[in-house]
Amino acid sequence: MTERFTYYSPIGPLCIETESDTIFAAHFCEKELVSEHFNPQLQQKITDQLDEYFNGSRFNFDLPLKPAGTEFQQKVWNELNRIPYGQLRSYSEVAQKIGDKNLVRAIGGANAKNPIAIIIPCHRVVGANNQLVGYAGGLWRKKMAAATRAE
């Protein structure tokens, strides 16, 4: 059974969706989503880690994730999780890490389909010359989420 709750981040409400206490989606939303039976311990863990992330004291998440996607998308999302906090990578750099510099457009497609915003850091991927391009939550959110605190 799908359970939901809304986390109020500094860049807008983030709707978290779980099944069997595993996060399969986190997306920006306008309308509050709340389930009566969301695991309170998991909700607290998610809230604490997101609070720490947004206040700059958490650099990696330790949450149960299960994003649905193709084998290629999973490979890209795993690579996104390797991008250190406070750093950016171009689509080209991610393609090279995946093993084929010609996959830039496919990397962009997989990045756009990331079902777990912020926690899987698709906001750390930028276009050529560090240009902010494409973000389902809006470029203003990508700019704020990708802002480096380690200057």
Side-chain angles (χ1 to χ4, degrees), residues 72-83 88-108 110-111 121-122 124-127:
F72 177 76
Q73 289 168 336
Q74 298 284 340
K75 191 174 184 179
V76 171
W77 300 334
N78 286 333
E79 188 58 39
L80 299 182
N81 277 323
R82 291 184 184 96
I83 301 171
L88 303 175
R89 297 289 184 270
S90 69
Y91 291 98
S92 177
E93 289 172 310
V94 175
Q96 289 173 2
K97 288 283 190 181
I98 295 294
D100 187 340
K101 66 181 179 172
N102 297 315
L103 291 176
V104 173
R105 292 181 75 95
I107 298 298
N111 206 46
C122 57
R124 295 181 188 157
V125 183
V126 295

PDB file of all heavy atoms in Angstrom, residues 72-83 88-108 110-111 121-122 124-127:
ATOM      1  N   PHE A  72      19.283   1.117 -17.416  1.00  0.00           N
ATOM      2  CA  PHE A  72      20.098   2.291 -17.737  1.00  0.00           C
ATOM      3  C   PHE A  72      19.809   3.440 -16.777  1.00  0.00           C
ATOM      4  O   PHE A  72      20.728   4.083 -16.263  1.00  0.00           O
ATOM      5  CB  PHE A  72      19.871   2.732 -19.191  1.00  0.00           C
ATOM      6  CG  PHE A  72      20.640   3.972 -19.541  1.00  0.00           C
ATOM      7  CD1 PHE A  72      22.009   3.921 -19.775  1.00  0.00           C
ATOM      8  CD2 PHE A  72      20.001   5.203 -19.624  1.00  0.00           C
ATOM      9  CE1 PHE A  72      22.733   5.073 -20.079  1.00  0.00           C
ATOM     10  CE2 PHE A  72      20.709   6.353 -19.927  1.00  0.00           C
ATOM     11  CZ  PHE A  72      22.075   6.285 -20.171  1.00  0.00           C
ATOM     12  N   GLN A  73      18.529   3.725 -16.531  1.00  0.00           N
ATOM     13  CA  GLN A  73      18.178   4.798 -15.602  1.00  0.00           C
ATOM     14  C   GLN A  73      18.757   4.531 -14.217  1.00  0.00           C
ATOM     15  O   GLN A  73      19.296   5.438 -13.580  1.00  0.00           O
ATOM     16  CB  GLN A  73      16.657   4.951 -15.527  1.00  0.00           C
ATOM     17  CG  GLN A  73      16.047   5.531 -16.781  1.00  0.00           C
ATOM     18  CD  GLN A  73      14.535   5.411 -16.819  1.00  0.00           C
ATOM     19  OE1 GLN A  73      13.939   4.548 -16.176  1.00  0.00           O
ATOM     20  NE2 GLN A  73      13.902   6.282 -17.597  1.00  0.00           N
ATOM     21  N   GLN A  74      18.656   3.298 -13.758  1.00  0.00           N
ATOM     22  CA  GLN A  74      19.226   2.935 -12.455  1.00  0.00           C
ATOM     23  C   GLN A  74      20.730   3.212 -12.428  1.00  0.00           C
ATOM     24  O   GLN A  74      21.255   3.726 -11.438  1.00  0.00           O
ATOM     25  CB  GLN A  74      18.966   1.444 -12.148  1.00  0.00           C
ATOM     26  CG  GLN A  74      17.512   1.067 -12.043  1.00  0.00           C
ATOM     27  CD  GLN A  74      16.863   1.498 -10.749  1.00  0.00           C
ATOM     28  OE1 GLN A  74      17.514   1.769  -9.760  1.00  0.00           O
ATOM     29  NE2 GLN A  74      15.540   1.570 -10.765  1.00  0.00           N
ATOM     30  N   LYS A  75      21.401   2.887 -13.525  1.00  0.00           N
ATOM     31  CA  LYS A  75      22.847   3.120 -13.617  1.00  0.00           C
ATOM     32  C   LYS A  75      23.153   4.620 -13.514  1.00  0.00           C
ATOM     33  O   LYS A  75      24.072   5.035 -12.805  1.00  0.00           O
ATOM     34  CB  LYS A  75      23.354   2.549 -14.942  1.00  0.00           C
ATOM     35  CG  LYS A  75      24.839   2.474 -15.076  1.00  0.00           C
ATOM     36  CD  LYS A  75      25.207   1.743 -16.371  1.00  0.00           C
ATOM     37  CE  LYS A  75      26.690   1.556 -16.488  1.00  0.00           C
ATOM     38  NZ  LYS A  75      27.063   0.844 -17.712  1.00  0.00           N
ATOM     39  N   VAL A  76      22.358   5.427 -14.210  1.00  0.00           N
ATOM     40  CA  VAL A  76      22.552   6.883 -14.163  1.00  0.00           C
ATOM     41  C   VAL A  76      22.286   7.398 -12.755  1.00  0.00           C
ATOM     42  O   VAL A  76      23.073   8.172 -12.202  1.00  0.00           O
ATOM     43  CB  VAL A  76      21.654   7.600 -15.199  1.00  0.00           C
ATOM     44  CG1 VAL A  76      21.688   9.118 -15.000  1.00  0.00           C
ATOM     45  CG2 VAL A  76      22.083   7.233 -16.615  1.00  0.00           C
ATOM     46  N   TRP A  77      21.181   6.970 -12.146  1.00  0.00           N
ATOM     47  CA  TRP A  77      20.830   7.458 -10.800  1.00  0.00           C
ATOM     48  C   TRP A  77      21.882   7.048  -9.782  1.00  0.00           C
ATOM     49  O   TRP A  77      22.191   7.815  -8.867  1.00  0.00           O
ATOM     50  CB  TRP A  77      19.443   6.972 -10.394  1.00  0.00           C
ATOM     51  CG  TRP A  77      18.359   7.442 -11.336  1.00  0.00           C
ATOM     52  CD1 TRP A  77      18.377   8.575 -12.127  1.00  0.00           C
ATOM     53  CD2 TRP A  77      17.133   6.795 -11.606  1.00  0.00           C
ATOM     54  NE1 TRP A  77      17.220   8.650 -12.863  1.00  0.00           N
ATOM     55  CE2 TRP A  77      16.430   7.579 -12.566  1.00  0.00           C
ATOM     56  CE3 TRP A  77      16.534   5.629 -11.147  1.00  0.00           C
ATOM     57  CZ2 TRP A  77      15.182   7.232 -13.053  1.00  0.00           C
ATOM     58  CZ3 TRP A  77      15.283   5.285 -11.627  1.00  0.00           C
ATOM     59  CH2 TRP A  77      14.619   6.080 -12.568  1.00  0.00           C
ATOM     60  N   ASN A  78      22.455   5.864  -9.940  1.00  0.00           N
ATOM     61  CA  ASN A  78      23.549   5.448  -9.049  1.00  0.00           C
ATOM     62  C   ASN A  78      24.751   6.372  -9.220  1.00  0.00           C
ATOM     63  O   ASN A  78      25.417   6.719  -8.242  1.00  0.00           O
ATOM     64  CB  ASN A  78      23.944   3.995  -9.309  1.00  0.00           C
ATOM     65  CG  ASN A  78      22.933   3.017  -8.763  1.00  0.00           C
ATOM     66  OD1 ASN A  78      22.215   3.302  -7.817  1.00  0.00           O
ATOM     67  ND2 ASN A  78      22.857   1.849  -9.367  1.00  0.00           N
ATOM     68  N   GLU A  79      25.021   6.762 -10.455  1.00  0.00           N
ATOM     69  CA  GLU A  79      26.136   7.682 -10.707  1.00  0.00           C
ATOM     70  C   GLU A  79      25.843   9.063 -10.106  1.00  0.00           C
ATOM     71  O   GLU A  79      26.735   9.712  -9.567  1.00  0.00           O
ATOM     72  CB  GLU A  79      26.418   7.793 -12.209  1.00  0.00           C
ATOM     73  CG  GLU A  79      27.668   8.575 -12.540  1.00  0.00           C
ATOM     74  CD  GLU A  79      28.932   7.998 -11.908  1.00  0.00           C
ATOM     75  OE1 GLU A  79      29.089   6.763 -11.838  1.00  0.00           O
ATOM     76  OE2 GLU A  79      29.780   8.809 -11.481  1.00  0.00           O
ATOM     77  N   LEU A  80      24.596   9.505 -10.166  1.00  0.00           N
ATOM     78  CA  LEU A  80      24.240  10.796  -9.566  1.00  0.00           C
ATOM     79  C   LEU A  80      24.528  10.781  -8.071  1.00  0.00           C
ATOM     80  O   LEU A  80      24.988  11.780  -7.514  1.00  0.00           O
ATOM     81  CB  LEU A  80      22.757  11.116  -9.788  1.00  0.00           C
ATOM     82  CG  LEU A  80      22.265  11.241 -11.226  1.00  0.00           C
ATOM     83  CD1 LEU A  80      20.787  11.598 -11.248  1.00  0.00           C
ATOM     84  CD2 LEU A  80      23.080  12.248 -12.014  1.00  0.00           C
ATOM     85  N   ASN A  81      24.274   9.649  -7.432  1.00  0.00           N
ATOM     86  CA  ASN A  81      24.531   9.532  -5.990  1.00  0.00           C
ATOM     87  C   ASN A  81      26.013   9.609  -5.658  1.00  0.00           C
ATOM     88  O   ASN A  81      26.370   9.800  -4.498  1.00  0.00           O
ATOM     89  CB  ASN A  81      23.929   8.241  -5.438  1.00  0.00           C
ATOM     90  CG  ASN A  81      22.460   8.395  -5.123  1.00  0.00           C
ATOM     91  OD1 ASN A  81      22.030   9.442  -4.656  1.00  0.00           O
ATOM     92  ND2 ASN A  81      21.695   7.359  -5.377  1.00  0.00           N
ATOM     93  N   ARG A  82      26.865   9.480  -6.646  1.00  0.00           N
ATOM     94  CA  ARG A  82      28.311   9.579  -6.416  1.00  0.00           C
ATOM     95  C   ARG A  82      28.827  11.014  -6.553  1.00  0.00           C
ATOM     96  O   ARG A  82      29.994  11.275  -6.270  1.00  0.00           O
ATOM     97  CB  ARG A  82      29.052   8.673  -7.400  1.00  0.00           C
ATOM     98  CG  ARG A  82      28.841   7.203  -7.125  1.00  0.00           C
ATOM     99  CD  ARG A  82      29.690   6.342  -8.079  1.00  0.00           C
ATOM    100  NE  ARG A  82      29.406   4.942  -7.875  1.00  0.00           N
ATOM    101  CZ  ARG A  82      28.537   4.220  -8.596  1.00  0.00           C
ATOM    102  NH1 ARG A  82      27.889   4.785  -9.607  1.00  0.00           N
ATOM    103  NH2 ARG A  82      28.334   2.952  -8.331  1.00  0.00           N
ATOM    104  N   ILE A  83      27.983  11.928  -7.008  1.00  0.00           N
ATOM    105  CA  ILE A  83      28.408  13.325  -7.136  1.00  0.00           C
ATOM    106  C   ILE A  83      28.436  13.929  -5.733  1.00  0.00           C
ATOM    107  O   ILE A  83      27.413  13.976  -5.053  1.00  0.00           O
ATOM    108  CB  ILE A  83      27.449  14.139  -8.034  1.00  0.00           C
ATOM    109  CG1 ILE A  83      27.376  13.523  -9.428  1.00  0.00           C
ATOM    110  CG2 ILE A  83      27.909  15.603  -8.105  1.00  0.00           C
ATOM    111  CD1 ILE A  83      26.302  14.131 -10.322  1.00  0.00           C
ATOM    112  N   LEU A  88      29.161  19.974  -8.902  1.00  0.00           N
ATOM    113  CA  LEU A  88      28.310  19.792 -10.067  1.00  0.00           C
ATOM    114  C   LEU A  88      29.041  18.936 -11.086  1.00  0.00           C
ATOM    115  O   LEU A  88      30.276  18.894 -11.097  1.00  0.00           O
ATOM    116  CB  LEU A  88      27.970  21.150 -10.693  1.00  0.00           C
ATOM    117  CG  LEU A  88      27.301  22.187  -9.795  1.00  0.00           C
ATOM    118  CD1 LEU A  88      27.159  23.514 -10.536  1.00  0.00           C
ATOM    119  CD2 LEU A  88      25.949  21.683  -9.316  1.00  0.00           C
ATOM    120  N   ARG A  89      28.271  18.267 -11.933  1.00  0.00           N
ATOM    121  CA  ARG A  89      28.815  17.508 -13.051  1.00  0.00           C
ATOM    122  C   ARG A  89      27.991  17.856 -14.278  1.00  0.00           C
ATOM    123  O   ARG A  89      26.781  18.060 -14.186  1.00  0.00           O
ATOM    124  CB  ARG A  89      28.731  15.998 -12.822  1.00  0.00           C
ATOM    125  CG  ARG A  89      29.529  15.474 -11.656  1.00  0.00           C
ATOM    126  CD  ARG A  89      31.040  15.519 -11.932  1.00  0.00           C
ATOM    127  NE  ARG A  89      31.789  14.935 -10.842  1.00  0.00           N
ATOM    128  CZ  ARG A  89      32.249  15.596  -9.785  1.00  0.00           C
ATOM    129  NH1 ARG A  89      32.020  16.891  -9.665  1.00  0.00           N
ATOM    130  NH2 ARG A  89      32.940  14.985  -8.844  1.00  0.00           N
ATOM    131  N   SER A  90      28.643  17.879 -15.424  1.00  0.00           N
ATOM    132  CA  SER A  90      27.911  18.101 -16.667  1.00  0.00           C
ATOM    133  C   SER A  90      27.318  16.769 -17.132  1.00  0.00           C
ATOM    134  O   SER A  90      27.754  15.692 -16.705  1.00  0.00           O
ATOM    135  CB  SER A  90      28.839  18.666 -17.743  1.00  0.00           C
ATOM    136  OG  SER A  90      29.766  17.672 -18.147  1.00  0.00           O
ATOM    137  N   TYR A  91      26.340  16.858 -18.013  1.00  0.00           N
ATOM    138  CA  TYR A  91      25.766  15.648 -18.589  1.00  0.00           C
ATOM    139  C   TYR A  91      26.861  14.844 -19.280  1.00  0.00           C
ATOM    140  O   TYR A  91      26.887  13.622 -19.219  1.00  0.00           O
ATOM    141  CB  TYR A  91      24.645  16.002 -19.573  1.00  0.00           C
ATOM    142  CG  TYR A  91      23.435  16.579 -18.887  1.00  0.00           C
ATOM    143  CD1 TYR A  91      23.233  17.952 -18.820  1.00  0.00           C
ATOM    144  CD2 TYR A  91      22.491  15.756 -18.291  1.00  0.00           C
ATOM    145  CE1 TYR A  91      22.129  18.489 -18.187  1.00  0.00           C
ATOM    146  CE2 TYR A  91      21.375  16.285 -17.651  1.00  0.00           C
ATOM    147  CZ  TYR A  91      21.204  17.654 -17.599  1.00  0.00           C
ATOM    148  OH  TYR A  91      20.118  18.178 -16.962  1.00  0.00           O
ATOM    149  N   SER A  92      27.781  15.548 -19.919  1.00  0.00           N
ATOM    150  CA  SER A  92      28.903  14.899 -20.603  1.00  0.00           C
ATOM    151  C   SER A  92      29.790  14.137 -19.616  1.00  0.00           C
ATOM    152  O   SER A  92      30.210  13.004 -19.883  1.00  0.00           O
ATOM    153  CB  SER A  92      29.722  15.953 -21.352  1.00  0.00           C
ATOM    154  OG  SER A  92      30.833  15.368 -21.964  1.00  0.00           O
ATOM    155  N   GLU A  93      30.071  14.739 -18.470  1.00  0.00           N
ATOM    156  CA  GLU A  93      30.896  14.057 -17.462  1.00  0.00           C
ATOM    157  C   GLU A  93      30.194  12.812 -16.925  1.00  0.00           C
ATOM    158  O   GLU A  93      30.836  11.782 -16.708  1.00  0.00           O
ATOM    159  CB  GLU A  93      31.216  15.010 -16.307  1.00  0.00           C
ATOM    160  CG  GLU A  93      32.193  16.101 -16.684  1.00  0.00           C
ATOM    161  CD  GLU A  93      32.343  17.148 -15.591  1.00  0.00           C
ATOM    162  OE1 GLU A  93      31.328  17.667 -15.093  1.00  0.00           O
ATOM    163  OE2 GLU A  93      33.513  17.436 -15.239  1.00  0.00           O
ATOM    164  N   VAL A  94      28.889  12.901 -16.712  1.00  0.00           N
ATOM    165  CA  VAL A  94      28.143  11.727 -16.245  1.00  0.00           C
ATOM    166  C   VAL A  94      28.176  10.645 -17.309  1.00  0.00           C
ATOM    167  O   VAL A  94      28.387   9.467 -17.007  1.00  0.00           O
ATOM    168  CB  VAL A  94      26.694  12.100 -15.846  1.00  0.00           C
ATOM    169  CG1 VAL A  94      25.892  10.855 -15.484  1.00  0.00           C
ATOM    170  CG2 VAL A  94      26.692  13.088 -14.679  1.00  0.00           C
ATOM    171  N   ALA A  95      28.025  11.033 -18.585  1.00  0.00           N
ATOM    172  CA  ALA A  95      28.077  10.057 -19.689  1.00  0.00           C
ATOM    173  C   ALA A  95      29.428   9.354 -19.711  1.00  0.00           C
ATOM    174  O   ALA A  95      29.498   8.126 -19.886  1.00  0.00           O
ATOM    175  CB  ALA A  95      27.805  10.757 -21.016  1.00  0.00           C
ATOM    176  N   GLN A  96      30.493  10.103 -19.514  1.00  0.00           N
ATOM    177  CA  GLN A  96      31.825   9.499 -19.491  1.00  0.00           C
ATOM    178  C   GLN A  96      31.970   8.528 -18.325  1.00  0.00           C
ATOM    179  O   GLN A  96      32.554   7.453 -18.473  1.00  0.00           O
ATOM    180  CB  GLN A  96      32.900  10.581 -19.438  1.00  0.00           C
ATOM    181  CG  GLN A  96      33.024  11.355 -20.736  1.00  0.00           C
ATOM    182  CD  GLN A  96      33.968  12.539 -20.636  1.00  0.00           C
ATOM    183  OE1 GLN A  96      34.583  12.795 -19.606  1.00  0.00           O
ATOM    184  NE2 GLN A  96      34.062  13.301 -21.724  1.00  0.00           N
ATOM    185  N   LYS A  97      31.434   8.884 -17.161  1.00  0.00           N
ATOM    186  CA  LYS A  97      31.495   7.991 -15.992  1.00  0.00           C
ATOM    187  C   LYS A  97      30.706   6.709 -16.245  1.00  0.00           C
ATOM    188  O   LYS A  97      31.088   5.638 -15.781  1.00  0.00           O
ATOM    189  CB  LYS A  97      30.951   8.694 -14.739  1.00  0.00           C
ATOM    190  CG  LYS A  97      31.843   9.758 -14.205  1.00  0.00           C
ATOM    191  CD  LYS A  97      32.987   9.146 -13.465  1.00  0.00           C
ATOM    192  CE  LYS A  97      33.751  10.202 -12.718  1.00  0.00           C
ATOM    193  NZ  LYS A  97      34.884   9.637 -12.000  1.00  0.00           N
ATOM    194  N   ILE A  98      29.603   6.820 -16.982  1.00  0.00           N
ATOM    195  CA  ILE A  98      28.783   5.657 -17.309  1.00  0.00           C
ATOM    196  C   ILE A  98      29.510   4.774 -18.327  1.00  0.00           C
ATOM    197  O   ILE A  98      29.242   3.588 -18.427  1.00  0.00           O
ATOM    198  CB  ILE A  98      27.400   6.108 -17.864  1.00  0.00           C
ATOM    199  CG1 ILE A  98      26.607   6.849 -16.803  1.00  0.00           C
ATOM    200  CG2 ILE A  98      26.586   4.965 -18.427  1.00  0.00           C
ATOM    201  CD1 ILE A  98      26.187   6.011 -15.628  1.00  0.00           C
ATOM    202  N   GLY A  99      30.429   5.387 -19.081  1.00  0.00           N
ATOM    203  CA  GLY A  99      31.235   4.586 -20.001  1.00  0.00           C
ATOM    204  C   GLY A  99      31.048   4.886 -21.473  1.00  0.00           C
ATOM    205  O   GLY A  99      31.616   4.212 -22.312  1.00  0.00           O
ATOM    206  N   ASP A 100      30.250   5.920 -21.817  1.00  0.00           N
ATOM    207  CA  ASP A 100      30.054   6.251 -23.221  1.00  0.00           C
ATOM    208  C   ASP A 100      29.753   7.742 -23.348  1.00  0.00           C
ATOM    209  O   ASP A 100      28.656   8.194 -23.041  1.00  0.00           O
ATOM    210  CB  ASP A 100      28.907   5.431 -23.811  1.00  0.00           C
ATOM    211  CG  ASP A 100      28.763   5.597 -25.312  1.00  0.00           C
ATOM    212  OD1 ASP A 100      29.270   6.596 -25.873  1.00  0.00           O
ATOM    213  OD2 ASP A 100      28.114   4.727 -25.933  1.00  0.00           O
ATOM    214  N   LYS A 101      30.746   8.482 -23.829  1.00  0.00           N
ATOM    215  CA  LYS A 101      30.605   9.936 -23.936  1.00  0.00           C
ATOM    216  C   LYS A 101      29.498  10.356 -24.897  1.00  0.00           C
ATOM    217  O   LYS A 101      29.069  11.499 -24.891  1.00  0.00           O
ATOM    218  CB  LYS A 101      31.928  10.563 -24.351  1.00  0.00           C
ATOM    219  CG  LYS A 101      32.369  10.163 -25.749  1.00  0.00           C
ATOM    220  CD  LYS A 101      33.684  10.785 -26.119  1.00  0.00           C
ATOM    221  CE  LYS A 101      34.051  10.315 -27.533  1.00  0.00           C
ATOM    222  NZ  LYS A 101      35.188  10.974 -28.058  1.00  0.00           N
ATOM    223  N   ASN A 102      29.007   9.434 -25.713  1.00  0.00           N
ATOM    224  CA  ASN A 102      27.954   9.745 -26.673  1.00  0.00           C
ATOM    225  C   ASN A 102      26.544   9.636 -26.079  1.00  0.00           C
ATOM    226  O   ASN A 102      25.563   9.830 -26.786  1.00  0.00           O
ATOM    227  CB  ASN A 102      28.067   8.828 -27.897  1.00  0.00           C
ATOM    228  CG  ASN A 102      29.373   9.053 -28.637  1.00  0.00           C
ATOM    229  OD1 ASN A 102      29.780  10.191 -28.861  1.00  0.00           O
ATOM    230  ND2 ASN A 102      30.053   7.977 -28.978  1.00  0.00           N
ATOM    231  N   LEU A 103      26.449   9.330 -24.815  1.00  0.00           N
ATOM    232  CA  LEU A 103      25.146   9.137 -24.176  1.00  0.00           C
ATOM    233  C   LEU A 103      24.593  10.394 -23.505  1.00  0.00           C
ATOM    234  O   LEU A 103      23.690  10.296 -22.680  1.00  0.00           O
ATOM    235  CB  LEU A 103      25.244   8.018 -23.134  1.00  0.00           C
ATOM    236  CG  LEU A 103      25.452   6.610 -23.671  1.00  0.00           C
ATOM    237  CD1 LEU A 103      25.634   5.623 -22.525  1.00  0.00           C
ATOM    238  CD2 LEU A 103      24.284   6.199 -24.552  1.00  0.00           C
ATOM    239  N   VAL A 104      25.097  11.551 -23.871  1.00  0.00           N
ATOM    240  CA  VAL A 104      24.703  12.789 -23.196  1.00  0.00           C
ATOM    241  C   VAL A 104      23.190  12.976 -23.199  1.00  0.00           C
ATOM    242  O   VAL A 104      22.592  13.269 -22.161  1.00  0.00           O
ATOM    243  CB  VAL A 104      25.416  14.010 -23.821  1.00  0.00           C
ATOM    244  CG1 VAL A 104      24.897  15.312 -23.245  1.00  0.00           C
ATOM    245  CG2 VAL A 104      26.922  13.893 -23.605  1.00  0.00           C
ATOM    246  N   ARG A 105      22.543  12.795 -24.334  1.00  0.00           N
ATOM    247  CA  ARG A 105      21.081  12.989 -24.407  1.00  0.00           C
ATOM    248  C   ARG A 105      20.355  11.937 -23.563  1.00  0.00           C
ATOM    249  O   ARG A 105      19.364  12.236 -22.897  1.00  0.00           O
ATOM    250  CB  ARG A 105      20.609  12.949 -25.853  1.00  0.00           C
ATOM    251  CG  ARG A 105      21.098  14.145 -26.653  1.00  0.00           C
ATOM    252  CD  ARG A 105      20.587  14.082 -28.079  1.00  0.00           C
ATOM    253  NE  ARG A 105      19.175  14.421 -28.143  1.00  0.00           N
ATOM    254  CZ  ARG A 105      18.711  15.618 -28.409  1.00  0.00           C
ATOM    255  NH1 ARG A 105      19.542  16.613 -28.642  1.00  0.00           N
ATOM    256  NH2 ARG A 105      17.416  15.853 -28.457  1.00  0.00           N
ATOM    257  N   ALA A 106      20.852  10.703 -23.589  1.00  0.00           N
ATOM    258  CA  ALA A 106      20.233   9.643 -22.781  1.00  0.00           C
ATOM    259  C   ALA A 106      20.399   9.930 -21.291  1.00  0.00           C
ATOM    260  O   ALA A 106      19.489   9.664 -20.500  1.00  0.00           O
ATOM    261  CB  ALA A 106      20.847   8.287 -23.145  1.00  0.00           C
ATOM    262  N   ILE A 107      21.547  10.493 -20.920  1.00  0.00           N
ATOM    263  CA  ILE A 107      21.766  10.881 -19.522  1.00  0.00           C
ATOM    264  C   ILE A 107      20.747  11.950 -19.136  1.00  0.00           C
ATOM    265  O   ILE A 107      20.140  11.895 -18.063  1.00  0.00           O
ATOM    266  CB  ILE A 107      23.209  11.413 -19.303  1.00  0.00           C
ATOM    267  CG1 ILE A 107      24.251  10.339 -19.610  1.00  0.00           C
ATOM    268  CG2 ILE A 107      23.381  11.980 -17.891  1.00  0.00           C
ATOM    269  CD1 ILE A 107      24.209   9.111 -18.756  1.00  0.00           C
ATOM    270  N   GLY A 108      20.534  12.913 -20.021  1.00  0.00           N
ATOM    271  CA  GLY A 108      19.543  13.951 -19.760  1.00  0.00           C
ATOM    272  C   GLY A 108      18.150  13.374 -19.587  1.00  0.00           C
ATOM    273  O   GLY A 108      17.402  13.779 -18.693  1.00  0.00           O
ATOM    274  N   ALA A 110      17.377  10.263 -18.602  1.00  0.00           N
ATOM    275  CA  ALA A 110      17.329   9.525 -17.335  1.00  0.00           C
ATOM    276  C   ALA A 110      17.270  10.489 -16.161  1.00  0.00           C
ATOM    277  O   ALA A 110      16.538  10.262 -15.191  1.00  0.00           O
ATOM    278  CB  ALA A 110      18.540   8.600 -17.214  1.00  0.00           C
ATOM    279  N   ASN A 111      18.038  11.572 -16.254  1.00  0.00           N
ATOM    280  CA  ASN A 111      18.041  12.581 -15.190  1.00  0.00           C
ATOM    281  C   ASN A 111      16.638  13.179 -15.034  1.00  0.00           C
ATOM    282  O   ASN A 111      16.155  13.353 -13.916  1.00  0.00           O
ATOM    283  CB  ASN A 111      19.062  13.670 -15.536  1.00  0.00           C
ATOM    284  CG  ASN A 111      19.607  14.373 -14.332  1.00  0.00           C
ATOM    285  OD1 ASN A 111      19.977  13.746 -13.356  1.00  0.00           O
ATOM    286  ND2 ASN A 111      19.675  15.687 -14.415  1.00  0.00           N
ATOM    287  N   PRO A 121      20.477  13.139  -6.311  1.00  0.00           N
ATOM    288  CA  PRO A 121      20.770  14.543  -6.634  1.00  0.00           C
ATOM    289  C   PRO A 121      20.879  14.885  -8.126  1.00  0.00           C
ATOM    290  O   PRO A 121      21.921  15.298  -8.610  1.00  0.00           O
ATOM    291  CB  PRO A 121      22.100  14.778  -5.909  1.00  0.00           C
ATOM    292  CG  PRO A 121      22.756  13.442  -5.936  1.00  0.00           C
ATOM    293  CD  PRO A 121      21.639  12.447  -5.779  1.00  0.00           C
ATOM    294  N   CYS A 122      19.770  14.781  -8.841  1.00  0.00           N
ATOM    295  CA  CYS A 122      19.765  15.165 -10.251  1.00  0.00           C
ATOM    296  C   CYS A 122      20.009  16.666 -10.415  1.00  0.00           C
ATOM    297  O   CYS A 122      20.428  17.114 -11.478  1.00  0.00           O
ATOM    298  CB  CYS A 122      18.463  14.734 -10.923  1.00  0.00           C
ATOM    299  SG  CYS A 122      16.973  15.392 -10.156  1.00  0.00           S
ATOM    300  N   ARG A 124      22.378  18.249  -9.330  1.00  0.00           N
ATOM    301  CA  ARG A 124      23.826  18.503  -9.411  1.00  0.00           C
ATOM    302  C   ARG A 124      24.361  18.329 -10.830  1.00  0.00           C
ATOM    303  O   ARG A 124      25.564  18.418 -11.051  1.00  0.00           O
ATOM    304  CB  ARG A 124      24.580  17.575  -8.455  1.00  0.00           C
ATOM    305  CG  ARG A 124      24.256  17.863  -7.003  1.00  0.00           C
ATOM    306  CD  ARG A 124      25.018  16.972  -6.060  1.00  0.00           C
ATOM    307  NE  ARG A 124      24.514  17.188  -4.701  1.00  0.00           N
ATOM    308  CZ  ARG A 124      24.623  16.306  -3.734  1.00  0.00           C
ATOM    309  NH1 ARG A 124      25.228  15.156  -3.941  1.00  0.00           N
ATOM    310  NH2 ARG A 124      24.133  16.565  -2.530  1.00  0.00           N
ATOM    311  N   VAL A 125      23.470  18.066 -11.780  1.00  0.00           N
ATOM    312  CA  VAL A 125      23.889  17.876 -13.169  1.00  0.00           C
ATOM    313  C   VAL A 125      23.495  19.113 -13.961  1.00  0.00           C
ATOM    314  O   VAL A 125      22.351  19.556 -13.923  1.00  0.00           O
ATOM    315  CB  VAL A 125      23.260  16.606 -13.782  1.00  0.00           C
ATOM    316  CG1 VAL A 125      23.761  16.397 -15.204  1.00  0.00           C
ATOM    317  CG2 VAL A 125      23.582  15.386 -12.923  1.00  0.00           C
ATOM    318  N   VAL A 126      24.489  19.668 -14.662  1.00  0.00           N
ATOM    319  CA  VAL A 126      24.294  20.913 -15.411  1.00  0.00           C
ATOM    320  C   VAL A 126      24.719  20.711 -16.859  1.00  0.00           C
ATOM    321  O   VAL A 126      25.394  19.746 -17.199  1.00  0.00           O
ATOM    322  CB  VAL A 126      25.096  22.070 -14.768  1.00  0.00           C
ATOM    323  CG1 VAL A 126      24.569  22.389 -13.378  1.00  0.00           C
ATOM    324  CG2 VAL A 126      26.584  21.752 -14.719  1.00  0.00           C
ATOM    325  N   GLY A 127      24.337  21.674 -17.685  1.00  0.00           N
ATOM    326  CA  GLY A 127      24.705  21.627 -19.088  1.00  0.00           C
ATOM    327  C   GLY A 127      26.128  22.105 -19.305  1.00  0.00           C
ATOM    328  O   GLY A 127      26.892  22.343 -18.356  1.00  0.00           O
TER     329      GLY A 127
END
